[in-house]
Amino acid sequence: MGKLTVTKCPIDGLYIIEPTVFRDERGYFVETYNQRDMEEAGLDMVFVQDNQSMSKKGILRGLHFQKEHPQGKLVRVIRGAVYDVAVDLRKNSKTYGQWYGIELSAENHRQFYIAEGFAHGYLVLSDEAEFCYKVTDFYHPGDEGGILWKDPDIGIEWPLAEEEISLLERDRNWKRLKDTQVHF
């Protein structure tokens, strides 16, 4: 029913996915995932788990990655808005250490696919946001790594001032990319 538009980002392995939204006087309908449409667009990953989280404005979750069991992620927002960021951790990539960011919201229905080998994080821009994501590998306790959200070598331009951002102690204390062991 629904076709989608897939746009390659400037960093290989990142895609913006925009499903067709059917609107009428009752509201809207959107097909949020269709394996056939994804495969036709050249995206043939297999998802094994769906996750959902809710966060308040100014919460920054990330920048996370899985060390031994990397996950591809298809992320979207079903309530509110976030600024979503991926950082290339693939050592042999010509874009190693570069980042890409996009606003995802319940209103724009955009989705962001982040391949294995990236650190990922998002900052909540609305009063609250509900964030959903599909992953290509199961969660493995103890396998999470991270990169400092404000690593000056990466230079992410977060859309809120530092004093408006709230992080867990763990996320505040990740090391810079140059001091982090990555195996991709």
Side-chain angles (χ1 to χ4, degrees):
M1 173 184 219
K3 296 294 176 187
L4 48 88
T5 302
V6 175
T7 305
K8 266 185 109 167
C9 297
I11 298 175
D12 189 41
L14 302 178
Y15 298 88
I16 300 167
I17 299 160
E18 297 178 87
T20 301
V21 180
F22 300 93
R23 298 180 190 279
D24 64 24
E25 65 280 351
R26 300 168 296 166
Y28 72 86
F29 172 84
V30 62
E31 196 171 81
T32 62
Y33 179 76
N34 182 303
Q35 184 177 1
R36 256 190 317 257
D37 289 348
M38 294 287 278
E39 288 172 353
E40 286 175 18
L43 301 173
D44 60 357
M45 68 290 291
V46 175
F47 296 107
V48 299
Q49 184 175 316
D50 280 3
N51 301 315
Q52 182 171 335
S53 67
M54 189 284 291
S55 301
K56 297 179 184 215
K57 185 172 186 167
I59 298 294
L60 192 153
R61 293 183 184 255
L63 299 162
H64 302 148
F65 64 92
Q66 291 68 40
K67 296 182 269 189
E68 301 298 326
H69 302 277
Q71 296 175 323
K73 296 177 179 133
L74 179 61
V75 302
R76 66 190 178 102
V77 171
I78 61 170
R79 184 169 58 100
V82 306
Y83 188 66
D84 200 86
V85 172
V87 178
D88 191 349
L89 301 181
R90 301 166 299 172
K91 293 239 184 212
N92 295 326
S93 169
K94 64 183 177 190
T95 53
Y96 174 76
Q98 293 182 23
W99 66 278
Y100 184 83
I102 182 172
E103 185 172 322
L104 304 175
S105 71
E107 287 74 37
N108 69 25
H109 297 280
R110 285 186 189 142
Q111 298 179 36
F112 189 31
Y113 179 69
I114 304 148
E116 293 86 349
F118 286 81
H120 172 252
Y122 64 92
L123 174 63
V124 178
L125 304 175
S126 53
D127 288 340
E128 289 185 343
E130 288 188 60
F131 188 84
C132 295
Y133 55 108
K134 296 179 171 303
V135 293
T136 59
D137 197 358
F138 296 103
Y139 173 72
H140 295 271
D143 192 46
E144 193 167 68
I147 303 293
L148 182 64
W149 68 280
K150 61 178 185 174
D151 183 334
D153 296 330
I154 298 170
I156 297 171
E157 297 171 14
W158 297 103
L160 295 179
E162 187 170 344
E163 58 273 7
E164 298 176 274
I165 295 174
S166 178
L167 298 112
L168 284 176
E169 193 67 25
R170 171 192 70 158
D171 289 344
R172 185 178 288 111
N173 292 322
W174 292 119
K175 296 177 184 175
R176 294 169 64 172
L177 178 55
K178 70 180 184 180
D179 300 321
T180 301
Q181 192 114 20
V182 180
H183 305 287
F184 305 117

